[in-house]
Structure formats: structure tokens, C-alpha cells
Amino acid sequence: MNTWARALAGWMLAALCLPVWSTPVEDGYDLWLRYRALPAAQQAAVAARARRIVAVAPASPTLQAAVAELQRGVAGLTGRQPDVAAQPGDGALVLATPATAPAGLALPRPALAELGREGYLLRSLRWQGRAVTLIAANSDVGLLYGSFAWLRAAQTGADLARLDQRSAPRLALRLLNHWDNLDRTVERGYAGASIWDWWKLPDLRDARYVDYARANASLGINGTVLNNVNAKADSLTAPFLAKAAALADVLRPYGIRVYLSARFSAPVELGGLKTADPLDPAVRAWWQAKAGEIYRAIPDFGGFLVKANSEGQPGPQDYGRNHADGANMLAAALAPHGGVVMWRAFVYAPDASDRAAQGFAEFQPLDGRFAPNVIVQVKNGAIDFQPREPFHPLFGAMPHTPLALEVQITKEYLGFSTHLVHLGPLFEEVLRADTRRQPQGATVARQIKAMAGVANIGTDRNWCGSHFDCANWYAFGRLAWDTDLAAAAVAREWVQQTFTRAPAAVQAITALMLDSREAVVDYMTPLGLHHLMGTGHHHGPAPWVDNLERADWNPVYFHRAGRDGIGFDRSPRGSNAVSQYAPELAALWANPATTPEPLLLWFHHLPWSHRMASGRTLWAELVAHYDRGVERVATMRRGWDAVRTDVDAQRHAEVAAYLAVQEAEARWWRDACLAYFQSVSGLPLPAGSRAPAETLEAYKARRFNFAPGRGG
Amino acid sequence: MNTWARALAGWMLAALCLPVWSTPVEDGYDLWLRYRALPAAQQAAVAARARRIVAVAPASPTLQAAVAELQRGVAGLTGRQPDVAAQPGDGALVLATPATAPAGLALPRPALAELGREGYLLRSLRWQGRAVTLIAANSDVGLLYGSFAWLRAAQTGADLARLDQRSAPRLALRLLNHWDNLDRTVERGYAGASIWDWWKLPDLRDARYVDYARANASLGINGTVLNNVNAKADSLTAPFLAKAAALADVLRPYGIRVYLSARFSAPVELGGLKTADPLDPAVRAWWQAKAGEIYRAIPDFGGFLVKANSEGQPGPQDYGRNHADGANMLAAALAPHGGVVMWRAFVYAPDASDRAAQGFAEFQPLDGRFAPNVIVQVKNGAIDFQPREPFHPLFGAMPHTPLALEVQITKEYLGFSTHLVHLGPLFEEVLRADTRRQPQGATVARQIKAMAGVANIGTDRNWCGSHFDCANWYAFGRLAWDTDLAAAAVAREWVQQTFTRAPAAVQAITALMLDSREAVVDYMTPLGLHHLMGTGHHHGPAPWVDNLERADWNPVYFHRAGRDGIGFDRSPRGSNAVSQYAPELAALWANPATTPEPLLLWFHHLPWSHRMASGRTLWAELVAHYDRGVERVATMRRGWDAVRTDVDAQRHAEVAAYLAVQEAEARWWRDACLAYFQSVSGLPLPAGSRAPAETLEAYKARRFNFAPGRGG
């Protein structure tokens, strides 16, 4: 073949491979609200149930948002946008609230009565002789949530002709916490800059804010804290309140209220006062005036989130007061306006013996002393968002205090936005944890009034830094709405809406997601180990670090590995932190023999020769877990590769590239940790286990000078 | 009407207003490469000229990119993607280079010979009895540029049946300079974070990099400096070279080479040497080894950009050497590999009398002493990217040294990404400035070998922080490719491709763009004033500032306003900086009577009573200019409002909101500056001129704690 014919052959081949120009770009921006055209047969089925929209409810921006979403969704799925109509027809979607439902529309009023302000029901029924789908609620926000639920049903292949769903949230507050700084950096953010373009606000509003609102409304997230818990007092100044007010205006129709992190020393920094003592009348007056100013700007402002006397943040203890004094002072300022104070229990004193015991020690004695509009916000575990932690002992131990569960959606310790780690299982694990504080069934989920997730959202086009990281936002929202949902079901929903409905592929993708949490536990911190990561940025393994300013920041503090063994003794023979749990649990966890192996080294310091249930020694078991973690990632990669033809090429390739990095980093974690543990134990690797690829010194020498997430 | 019928009426109205779901989102991401479907009649005309693509050139990724772009563009414009074919047919697009053109295709070889490596020609002709469009070039890069030119012709309504264009760039290097830091902040960046996701590179490559490459290739930009001139030595370490190499791989097919800003002290910081003296053999050897390392990673690496002995950056003067010593040392390291050193002339010594005279004073004596692969990079003016500056005196004064013109695309001093200021006129003004150093026609454009633009690109969806800011990227590229283009024609092209081809709207939008530069001159720094902006962030007016660490950072240093008058005397009676220009110009600008009024206060200190050409006093003229600046913005707003029906609603509303902010800020500039000048002059405002809205003290008290662009 001559040159140009050969060239031509190349082009024709390339042309065949070129994406059809009219296929929507799958860049992740549409999240789980993609509304991609269904196959023709399914299009007809959905279109038949959404021929028109009849809204018999008072006009409001929220109802407008619900109708718009239904139109957008149906148009995308079926190619035809349903009109808004006055009269029902066959296949109409009817949105109704009791107040305005017309005669002849048999609203199931008893059912509705139980749904509260935010709940909804979906029901297939007949009205005026037509087969319609009723989306009913007591408020327009409920109709919005119901509309999203209907769209979820449509996207996941439910039988839209036979709907009968009822759902209402048990937790009143379901919040995102953005650790976004006012300079647009995001602490522990791995998805670009803050999505809040502070400089351009309030006059210039990014169109993205609306899509943020839609995504959160689709999950039932009803509040967002805009700024970092390591707060700058500036967030409470007039210019920033105006910016927050602008955001509140955009989010309000979607049922989302805004909150702000408040710096406790603001009276000094902004008000020029000499003190921020919560008992000082001038300070109290300052906060009352500030609250008035805030509520004039944002009438439905949610309230404050406060990190005080923790990691250098100012607080009431600076003045010899306690957490209740501080929280109650702010609560008094907000109570007349209906606001809440979410006061974080993430504290640990520098001179204490066990960091894990500090939160309970400082807060439990204050049970019952907080004002009713204070919520004490407690991390899922007593250390800090590790791959696995036992539930925080405060859950169940403060029956007279409203509590919030704080989980981390962003993966500070779990591979940033590079590693695929689905957190639904982690959220489910803590929600279903039995505190044994009350009669059977006293799970963590039943101890809380609110749930907060540290957001993983930024300016990246795909919102969260990777496609699968968005599933963690999704899982958080769905589980906050209904703490009884199963993580597996939630993951499956997400896959069907985000990637594909092909059953085998859904099964395969869901499986790799559900296995990923245990994978990261295994390749980072198995058997109850915790806090082994690199200094500052928290990237990569650094179990050797022992030289930080505070002992309880050092990895060695947490694993205590030496020639004799490994693990942190929290039994009565050690720090006795187990005693902070219900007596039944304390007794179980005080004894290695009755401690679940996933928590073994959280509660016990054991010799390397300790015999495990498998028959292996602790050391061999540890190595086996690290090896299994790496193998799990390899399995995830094979699982993803197998669904290549079921998902779009762009995202398949992107995820595959991320998984390749994850596998390499999992190996690195495994190799560096085992090299280190070998160095302190003096033990050889079990036969058949591969030696670390590099020397311990090489691992120690690695530097990551520009790791993301160190904002503010 | 009962409640629900009333509600319904509202919904029907709202539904009518809802955007049709299938209209492409106009979020600015597609820049000027939108390829939106043309009206039916025009579709046929374009489709008739692009029925198929015949590529008779050697296969290469670059040719692939050209073909893909043509397919994408034609598909978008006409609804039909042309196939790649072996044989021509009527209406084929034929891409050919001399090396592989088949017999019978009459390539205009003499014309091609003049086009060099990057040039192209477009010609309507007949081949094998068919009417085809020939896109011919000497290389695949030329074919890529030619393809973009054809698409530009198609998008701007040229007669595609009668094409006869020939174009080749005169400047060999046409570069973007990103002031992007390794932590993803962008110095003087107002469009979000750095688009380079350093952390994820090299293994994970954002799809956006390809669109960046396409946009730049469409303009003929052929190089990009990835990192800030205030460089971190880390940019030259192996991990970052790998990241740069990954970017180079993505950009290479689009004709774009990567460059890096190099920190002069890298031998000390990275190599552990005791010195970075450019004459030290160990230092020379270190750079040679580093160059070898770089070229092994990136075989077509473009070279270094260096900021040395300027604003605290290390450099050869730290060792008693001069700029040529430093540049030549680096040049020697890169020369064997074909690389260049772009050495910036932006220097000003702290103890000098006139900052504007420093660059010339340090660099002109070195003319002819730089190695051939050194390019001295000179800002358009002698201060720093002000709304207007006379051209830098070095242009024309270093005939034996290759020079580059550095302009700022990002609007550090011109309203960030909020104010609409089209810079095409500014670029044109400096390119066409007559240096009078040689026989008639010795414009700045003829003195340079390269052009560099400090980029305004970031992670914002619309790339540049606002829609109209992208026109500055466009204008830079087009004028770098062809320095003889008229700014007005370039602006018109951009409008037609970006917004609309409706003639009246094109005229109106182009007009407001072309007036915007003079508007910002008027409302910020008229009549040759300069450097009056706020400290550090450079946002807003602060002509009163007089307390900065260096005198030549203070606004008062530059305007010298007092009871007696205003302006900086650069005549022989003052700093005599005029003498750095050609004698003809020096003579003209030494005399206020022969100094163009737009430059008057750049070169002269004059009494407030100085009589202007208008008959007004200088003071009254100054006030008139400030007033006119604000009025120009109001006119721009009206002009934009009038095209409401010609552009999409989303972008129209966004731009309108930005213009409202710009008008308010223009008023603020005018009010604050006049309040200050009144305070020092003691003069009343002319009759009929509105008093400033606030007091001078109020303007002085404004603080902007979190202004963007202060990265690194």
C-alpha cells in the first residue's frame, strides 16, 4: 500500500473509533441525576407514567423546582418533556398537599399525617377515572423529595405503575459540613478549590450552586455549613454574611438551610472586646447582636457549628469555663431565632494518657447541661475518621443531650480522591452499632438527632475528585434520610443511576464498591490498627513517625509496636478506655478472646505470637491482612475491567487509571508498614509472603511537598 | 380562580419559560469552539464544503487531531459528521502536505514553500474533477492550524466555496505563561485553581487538558510555561518533571511544547551546592546534568523561563554576576538539546530613582552579549501591566538580542475577572507602537521574536473567570500568530464564534468590547496615571498609599499628586527616563505640549491648572475622564442589554450581572480617586460633577482580606 493509502487506512480506523459527537459527555458532572435516554422499550414505560404533571399545591419556588426536575428527568429519560396541565390524564404525575388537594383526589390523609414536614408518599392510584401517580406530602419540600424519589424509581427500573412508597426522615438535621476556607482552599479537600466563589459573591452566583442544591435535595440533605470548622472570624462579618445570604437564596427552594462555623473568639477579633468569656455580659450581648444581624440577612439561618478548645481553636476553656457554658451562651443568642448550635466533641488534651478517652471524659459529665437547641456533634469514632474505629463511646452515654453523628465523606485518611473506597458500609456499620446502653435495639442511629458529613466537594468537574467518590456523598445522604437503609441497596441505586442498569454489571460494580472499605482497612490499618499515616498531609504510610510536637499525634503512640508486640491497650490493664462503653461491651472488649478481631489492636497490646482464630499468629495474620488488602484491589480492578462494555469509555478509562494508582499505593502501604513492623519486631515475613519492594529507609525518605488538602 | 387553578396558571407560565432540555448548556466551556448548529440554510452551505475528509499526509497524532476537530466542528455546525475517505468527492476537505500529495493534486508549491513549518493555506480548487477545499501545509502542525482556520471561516460565515487564505506566523514562539503554583494556587489568577492537577499527575490526566490544547492550537499558541515565574525549585525535581512530561504528552499532538519556570538557586536547594554562581563549574555542571534529565523525560522540552534578581527572586547578581552571565549559563545547558532561555527583564532596584528606567538601565548595556538561544522577555511597558503604559524602551534598543513581548492576559490591575476589559486594543497598541529606532516601520512587533501572555486560565468552568475574559486569550493568540491583525477584526471573529453571527449584535458587542479598554483607563488611571491600586491584592483604588516597604511600590510614588500638581516627571528635568527612547520620541515626550494626552502624566508633573487641548484645566480634564469612564461602562451595559435576544439567556444574564458590578466598581474608582486628589490638591470639583458617594476615610478603610490571586 502506498503512503497515503496507508495513512488513509489509519484515519478510517480512527474515525470509526471516534465518539459519536452527539453522545452526552460523561464527565461526572451530572452525578446520579444523569437522566440519560433509556432503551426504547423502557422509555415507553416511563413516558406512560409521566405524560403530564399536575401540581395541586400552592405555588412556591420549591414546587417550581420539583416540577422542573420532573420535566428535566423525564425529558432526559424518554426524549419527551411532560407538560404541566390542569387536569389529570392517564399517566399523569400528580403533586398534591392536603391543603390544596381538590375534591375527588383521595389523599391518604392518615398516612400523610405521619410523614411530618419533609416526608412524602408515592402511590399509583386512579383519579377522575385516570391512572395517575400521586406524589403527596405535607409541604412543598416533601413534594420536592417525593419528586426526586419518583425519578430515582424511574432511573433504577422500578415498576412505575405499581408504586407504593412512603418515606420520612427520622433525623431532623441532615447536613454537609464544608471545611472550606475563605481563600477557597479546602482543608482535607481533594477535588479542587472551594465551590463557593467567595470573591464573586454575593452579586455573581455560579450556576453550579443550583446543581449543588439539586444533588443535595435528591438525597434529602437539608443543611450545609459553608465554612471550615477551623473558622476565621471573618465568616461572621457583614461582607461574608451577605455572601452566605446569597447562597441561602439559591439553596432555599431546595429545602437547604445554611449554617456557618463560628470562631469562639469573634467578640475579641471583630468586636474589640477584651474577652470571649461566655459568662461575660458584654460577650453575651455581642453574640446576641451578631445573631440579630445574621437573621436580618438570613431569616432561616440554621445556626452555628463550633470547634472549640480543640487543636488550637479558641473556646470557653480559655476562660476557665466548660463546653456547656460556651455552647449555651451561643444557644441563647440563637434560640429566639430558631437556630441551633452544633458543638463538636472532637477534643483531646495534650497531657492525657489516651487520646481516645478524651472526648468522653470532657463531655459525658456535661450530659443534660446543654440547652435544648444545642447538639453535641460527635465523630463516628474516638480518634479521627480512621478506616475502622469502634463507635464513639459518647453514643448512648448522653441520653439527655441531643447528639449528632459526624462522619467524613472526604477521604482524608483513606486515599484522598484517588482510592476507590465506598463508605456506605462504614456509615452503616456505625449507625447499626449497638451501644447496649438501653434495651435491645439501642443503636447509634437511635441515639442521634442529626447527621453531618464532612464534604468531599470542590470545583472539580466531577464534584468530588473521582467518580466513585460521589457515591460517598450519595450514601451519606441516603443513610442520613433513612438510617435503616442497607449500604448494599444504596450502592446499587447509585450504580444504576450513575453508570448502568445492566444487571450483571450492577452486581459486579456494587460488589467491588462494597468490598473496597474492607480493602482499605486491610492494606492500611488492619486488625484495629489506626493512625499510621504520613505527617500533616496524611498521605501514605508512616508508622515510624515519633517526633511530632504532641505524643498523641505520632503513629507510634497508636500502634505501640515493639519487640514485644503491637497494639494499644485500652483494657483495664491499660488506659481502660473500654470502661467508657456500656458494661456489656466493656466486658467483651476488655478481653482479647472476646474482642472482635477487626478491633483487636484498638483495645489490646498483644505479643506477635498471639494466636488468632485462624490459627495463625498475630504477626502472620497482620501480614495476611495487608496482603489481602492489596489482592482485594487487584480484584476490584479485574471487576471493573469486566464491565468495560457496560459503561461509557471515558469514565471507564478514568476509573481504571485511578484503580491502577490505588493498587500501586496499596502495595506501598503494605510494603512500608511491614518493613517497619519487621524492623521493630525483628520477625521475618511468613513463608510465601513477598518482601517489601524497597528499604525502610527509602520509605521513610519519601516527601510529598504539595499534597492537597492543607488549606487555611 | 381557586387556589389550585391559580397555582396551575403559575406552573404553565413557568413551564413555558423553562429552557428546552435539549439546548446545549452555554456555560462557556466550549469557548470559541462551540460549533453550535447553524440555521438550516447555512448548514447546507457548510455541509456542501465538508462532505468528507481526505487526508493525504503521513499518519500522526497531530493529523488525527486535525481530522477529529474537523469532524467535531462540521458535525456540530451541520448535524452531520463527515467521514474520512480515500477518494475526493465534491465538497471534500483535503488535507495535504508536499511529501505525500498524490499525483493530480496540484499543490501550490511555491506558496507552500514560504509558509515554513507552521503555516497553512486554504484554497478552493478542483481535484480529479471535484470541487474540493485544499488545506495544505508543510507539516502536520500546519494542517492542524489550517483545519482550525477553516473551522473559523465556517463559524464566521466566510464563503467556503471561494477560499484563498495563506497564513504563517512570524514569531517563532507564541507562549502562554501560567503563574501557577505547585499547590494549585494561581498568582494573579481569578478563575479558580490551577488547571494542572499536580497531585493527580502524571498517572491521572484530566480530560480538560485536551480541550486546553485544542483551544490553544486553534489560536496557534505553540508553547506553555507551566509554573509561576516566582518559581519553586521543586518544579525541576524528578516527580514534577514526570508530571510535566505527562502534560507534554497530552499537548504535543496539538503543536504545543512545555516549558518550565526555573529557580536560579536550584543548584543550592536541590543539588546541595554551596553556590549558584553561574560561572562556577560545579553549578554549570549541575545545570547540564539537570538539562539532560529534563530532556530524557521530555525530548522536545521548550526551555526555561527565568525571573532573576527581581522582587526577591535569586539570580546571578547574588554572586556579583550579570544577567547575561546567568542567562548564558542556562542557555549553554539547554543549547545541545535545542532549548531556549527566556530571561525576564522585569527588574527594578530598590535604591533607584525611577522604577520605569530600571529595566533598560540593567539590560540595554548587555545587548549582544546574550547567547543566541536566549530571549530577553520584556513587559509591554516599563512599570507593570497598567491599563495604559508607553511601550517599553527596550524595544528597539537591543537590536542584537532576541526579544519577547510579555503581556498580561489576566487582569491583575484591570478588575480581575469581574470587569469586562477587552485587551485586543492594548495588545495592538503596543505591537504597532513605532519605536523610531530604525527606518520607518520599526514597530515593536518587528523587534520581537516571541510573544508571551500571562494566562488567565483556571479551573472555572468558563476557563477564565468570565465569558469575556476568554476573548483576551483569543486576542492574544491571534495577534501572536499575526501581529498585523486588527484588534477590531479579531474581536469580531470572537463574537461570531462565541455568541452570535447576527450582524447588528456582532457590531454592538464588538463595539462595547473595543471601547472597554479606554473605559478602564478612564475610570482607573487616565491621562497617563499608573499604579494607583490597592496594596497586595491590587483590587480597587488606593492612590493614598504611601507606607509600603519600598518607595517604588507606593501609589504616591507614581502620581506625585500634591498641592502643586500631579504626574511623574520623566522628562530631562525629572528622571529623564524619556532619554531611553529613540531621540525623536524622547524629544516629543520631553515636552508636555507634544506629549500625547493619554501619556501626559506618565512623563510630566504638571500643575492642576495646566491647559489641555480641550481648553479645560488638567484637573477638570482628569475629572472628565473619570466621569467618562463610568459613563462608558453604563453605555456598555446598555449595549449588552440591547443584544438580549441575540444571545442565550444564561450567558446574557451572567454578563449583565458582571457589568452591573463593574459599573459600581468604576464609580468607586472614580469617587475614591477624586476624593483623594481633592484632598491633596485642595481643589473643588468642577461644576456639575457629582461628589464622591463616601468620604475619603471610608474609602481608605475598606479591606479585602480574601482577594484571589495571592498565590504561592
Side-chain angles (χ1 to χ4, degrees), chain B residues 467-492:
Chain B
H467 297 297
F468 276 89
D469 270 280
C470 298
N472 291 333
W473 176 8
Y474 184 89
F476 169 79
R478 295 288 286 128
L479 287 166
W481 175 271
D482 182 350
T483 56
D484 294 329
L485 286 174
V490 169
R492 187 174 5 268

Side-chain angles (χ1 to χ4, degrees), chain A residues 80 117 338 371 373 393 444 449 457 463 505 557 607 627 703:
Chain A
R80 194 183 150 279
R117 185 181 70 87
N373 61 325
V444 168
K449 299 288 185 295
I457 295 161
W463 296 88
Y557 172 97
D627 281 336
R703 291 288 172 271

Side-chain angles (χ1 to χ4, degrees), chain A residues 60-63 65-66 140-141 144 213 217 247-256:
Chain A
S60 74
T62 300
L63 187 54
D140 53 5
V141 159
L144 179 65
L247 289 170
D249 286 346
V250 177
L251 304 182
R252 186 173 295 111
Y254 295 88
I256 302 163

